[in-house]
Amino acid sequence: MIAGRLLAPDAGWIRRADVIVVGSGVAGVTVALNARRLMPDRRILLVTKSMLDDGSTRWAQGGVAAALGPEDSPEQHLADTLTAGAGLCDAAAVRALVTEGPDAVRRLIALGARFDAEPGGPLALTREGGHLRSRIAHAGGDATGAEISRALLFALEQASAVPGGGLDVIEHAMSLDLLLTQDGRAAGLTLHVIGEGQQDGVGAVYAPAVVLATGGIGQVYSATTNPQVSTGDGVALALRAGAGVADLEFVQFHPTVLWLGPDARGRQPLISEAVRGEGAFLVDEAGNRFMTGRHPLADLAPRDVVAKAIMNVMIKAGTDHVYLDGRHLGAATWQHRFPTILTTLRAHGIDPVSQPIPVVPAAHYASGGVKTDLRGRTSITGLYACGETACTGVHGANRLASNSLLEGLVFAERIAADLASNFPAPAEPAADRRKPRLLDQAAMTEIAQLMTERAGVVRSGTGLTMAAEELKKIGDQPAGTPGVLAWEATNLHLAAAALVAAAAARRETRGSHWREDYPDSSAAWLGHLTVTLGLDDLTVSYEPDQVAEQKGQR
Ligand code: SIN
């Protein structure tokens, strides 16, 4: 049984706002700051499930991609993004990303983000997988996300400190469900706040505009680079509200995550692709390079190509990891370019200056999400989605490295601009008739194990059918007790079920969706799968790509 809404106590308090932004990563904070700047008379409320910097943004290492170098251009960035996306990018969305991207990064710098520079001043730019130019701007060597988060949160703190300034922030506030008007428009949120005073426990915020920027779904898998908070809350909330979720089958597995043993669970340390950008390479157990000859870009091939190659090497050799050899980079490069990774590796007893690093692919990024148009609008009036939560179409079947922070910046600015010019009409919530339900928090581990075994890097029709059946059984288990972990488990369950439904439907291999029973890409699948939630079940619908149709590729 799938929850129509999350089982929770009735709202004990009510508050009003004009815009609610859910999430405090690059996407959420950029929406909030821009919305406040463009609409000084509106009340903006930013809520976040945990602490402000607990999301994915702070963990981003490699950087932010943008055509900022003298030998680069938005056209070249566009071409690389389309190639990585394996035929499924929305070209108009990518064009918006790559043309507006450079100025969005400059505005971030003007806001206070300090990026690494070459001697003499210009930004230091590096390469990552799938990029034919050096266009990855980075900060603190390998601490780009942390620096962006610091700068944005400092600006947020200043803006929200202005009494009556129209921007409020609530931490430890888990969004539960969207409130809807009689005619199905967004009307606010129910949420649970661990706080003090009037807004404690479950309450409701009435607002005609809600922006979901809750990050990804990485905790659907046992091993992921995502933080604990990435439990698919935005995707699940949107599905329960009736919005469409697209391209969810395309989960990107990062090729080089530190291998911590077969039983490693939860957030795993990332070894940035920028390490390969600076010259490190992958080797098998015998020390042989295996990317050379597999792809013209060798170790810097797009991420799906590298992850598949690693899996093939592991399957053939019967091993559970390969190695990343960066010894030749030398101590100075490790210290200067990758201080965070170096510290992490040494904390795990590995010295990359003298040893190859054991690595394995792990769940990293949801290329799909809540389906939006180019202004971040979902199929529900007043509901927007941004960042990893959204599917704007820029990533297609496989996100190009370091395009995610850029997408967060560019589309957040677009959402704020849309709100400023087309603010939704006033909206009052109607009575909620959806069936409430809740899983027990223990389901979380069960779901992650199941998804890792049956819907991970390599998938098959049989495995996906078994996953769907098991998820159904988990959904039918006795209900849990309301609380953050049970709400998260219920969200993960719905995100997992939607992912499995899409992965089972797509009978081909493309980008980061690898079906061993359909090993080739098929022109018949040059289109998008959208999942929606009906009364008690998920429906998957297929929309052929119109551009491909026009070009006669289908
Ligand atoms: C990395 O540093 O390899 C991750 C960057 C990204 O996921 O875009």
Side-chain angles (χ1 to χ4, degrees):
M1 201 188 306
I2 293 177
R5 66 184 162 92
L6 294 176
L7 179 69
D10 289 340
W13 51 269
I14 291 174
R15 164 179 185 159
R16 284 181 188 271
D18 295 307
V19 183
I20 310 172
V21 180
V22 188
S24 52
V26 61
V29 178
T30 306
V31 171
L33 291 173
N34 279 281
R36 179 184 169 275
R37 181 176 59 78
L38 296 173
M39 302 181 293
D41 299 335
R42 300 276 183 199
R43 294 159 299 173
I44 319 289
L45 175 65
L46 183 141
V47 297
T48 194
K49 181 163 74 170
S50 189
M51 309 271 281
L52 280 169
D53 70 346
D54 275 348
S56 294
T57 295
R58 136 163 104 96
W59 297 103
Q61 294 179 348
V64 49
L68 292 156
E71 279 157 25
D72 200 3
S73 67
E75 278 307 307
Q76 184 64 56
H77 190 184
L78 176 105
D80 292 351
T81 302
L82 296 181
T83 303
L88 286 194
C89 294
D90 176 331
V94 181
R95 194 166 286 287
L97 179 83
V98 299
T99 51
E100 294 168 27
D103 279 345
V105 173
R106 288 185 194 106
R107 282 190 282 277
L108 187 62
I109 293 170
L111 187 89
R114 292 185 291 259
F115 282 82
D116 297 335
E118 299 288 0
L123 278 180
L125 300 169
T126 191
R127 278 183 66 198
E128 286 181 358
H131 292 272
L132 292 180
R133 297 280 183 279
S134 290
R135 67 166 69 95
I136 317 296
H138 46 86
D142 55 4
T144 314
E147 172 57 13
I148 290 177
S149 187
R150 181 205 64 74
L152 285 170
L153 292 181
F154 181 69
L156 184 76
E157 192 185 308
Q158 287 189 317
S160 59
V162 179
L167 175 56
D168 288 337
V169 174
I170 310 181
E171 290 182 299
H172 301 292
M174 176 163 182
S175 297
L176 302 178
D177 274 298
L178 192 71
L179 293 166
L180 292 158
T181 61
Q182 197 67 43
D183 58 352
R185 289 177 293 123
L189 280 177
T190 51
L191 71 175
H192 174 263
V193 180
I194 302 171
E196 284 172 8
Q198 289 179 333
Q199 278 149 30
D200 188 17
V202 174
V205 182
Y206 295 175
V210 176
V211 184
L212 300 175
T214 56
I217 60 169
Q219 293 295 330
V220 148
Y221 294 99
S222 301
T224 171
T225 59
N226 290 192
Q228 224 180 335
V229 292
S230 299
T231 51
D233 302 338
V235 161
L237 180 150
L239 277 166
R240 288 193 298 267
V245 168
D247 292 352
L248 212 57
E249 66 274 33
F250 299 112
V251 177
Q252 184 167 74
F253 285 76
H254 195 290
T256 55
V257 172
L258 180 60
W259 180 77
L260 292 175
D263 299 324
R265 297 284 177 269
R267 198 185 73 76
Q268 311 289 303
L270 178 70
I271 312 297
S272 175
E273 210 162 77
V275 176
R276 273 174 286 137
E278 298 290 338
F281 49 80
L282 289 155
V283 292
D284 63 16
E285 202 142 36
N288 299 315
R289 289 184 74 163
F290 55 83
M291 284 312 299
T292 318
R294 280 188 198 244
H295 188 278
L297 293 173
D299 292 88
L300 283 178
R303 218 165 254 185
D304 58 325
V305 176
V306 182
K308 277 180 198 157
I310 293 175
M311 291 304 292
N312 276 324
V313 167
M314 284 173 17
I315 291 166
K316 214 164 141 200
T319 54
D320 50 11
H321 60 280
V322 295
Y323 293 92
L324 180 66
D325 196 340
R327 287 175 290 182
H328 54 290
L329 301 186
T333 299
W334 275 103
Q335 268 150 17
H336 169 68
R337 275 293 281 116
F338 305 114
T340 317
I341 299 172
L342 184 63
T343 305
T344 305
L345 287 173
R346 286 188 169 155
H348 284 94
I350 296 156
D351 184 357
V353 181
S354 58
Q355 287 171 267
I357 308 159
V359 292
V360 67
H364 182 57
Y365 192 87
S367 294
V370 185
K371 192 173 170 180
T372 72
D373 65 11
L374 264 62
R375 293 187 264 181
R377 301 189 290 192
T378 70
S379 53
I380 297 177
T381 303
L383 181 66
Y384 292 73
C386 195
E388 192 172 352
T389 312
C391 179
T392 59
V394 298
H395 306 311
N398 176 51
R399 177 180 62 92
L400 182 66
S402 285
N403 267 356
S404 46
L405 293 171
L406 189 70
E407 185 197 28
L409 289 171
V410 167
F411 283 84
E413 291 183 351
R414 288 183 149 244
I415 288 173
D418 190 63
L419 284 168
S421 54
N422 300 297
F423 199 79
E428 282 299 311
D432 197 336
R433 309 221 177 277
R434 292 172 292 178
K435 267 194 295 187
R437 174 143 177 82
L438 197 61
L439 295 191
D440 191 275
Q441 64 184 66
M444 213 159 348
T445 314
E446 225 178 317
I447 295 165
Q449 272 167 3
L450 174 69
M451 292 298 286
T452 303
E453 271 170 40
R454 308 270 179 225
V457 189
V458 192
R459 301 163 179 175
S460 72
T462 316
L464 291 164
T465 303
M466 287 166 85
E469 281 164 6
E470 286 302 315
L471 285 169
K472 190 167 173 341
K473 280 190 207 152
I474 293 171
D476 291 342
Q477 285 169 5
T481 314
V484 171
L485 291 176
W487 290 319
E488 286 183 334
T490 311
N491 286 341
L492 269 184
H493 178 259
L494 181 51
L499 193 167
V500 166
R506 184 174 286 280
R507 293 190 184 88
E508 66 157 355
T509 289
R510 180 183 298 278
S512 49
H513 174 63
W514 182 4
R515 286 279 299 254
E516 59 183 2
D517 46 352
Y518 293 96
D520 300 316
S521 299
S522 157
W525 281 104
L526 267 176
H528 301 272
L529 289 163
T530 300
V531 183
T532 47
L533 177 63
L535 267 190
D536 192 26
D537 218 348
L538 295 166
T539 306
V540 185
S541 57
Y542 179 69
E543 198 183 324
D545 186 278
Q546 284 168 7
V547 178
E549 293 240 295
Q550 282 156 16
K551 282 191 199 155
Q553 288 172 349
R554 300 193 60 252

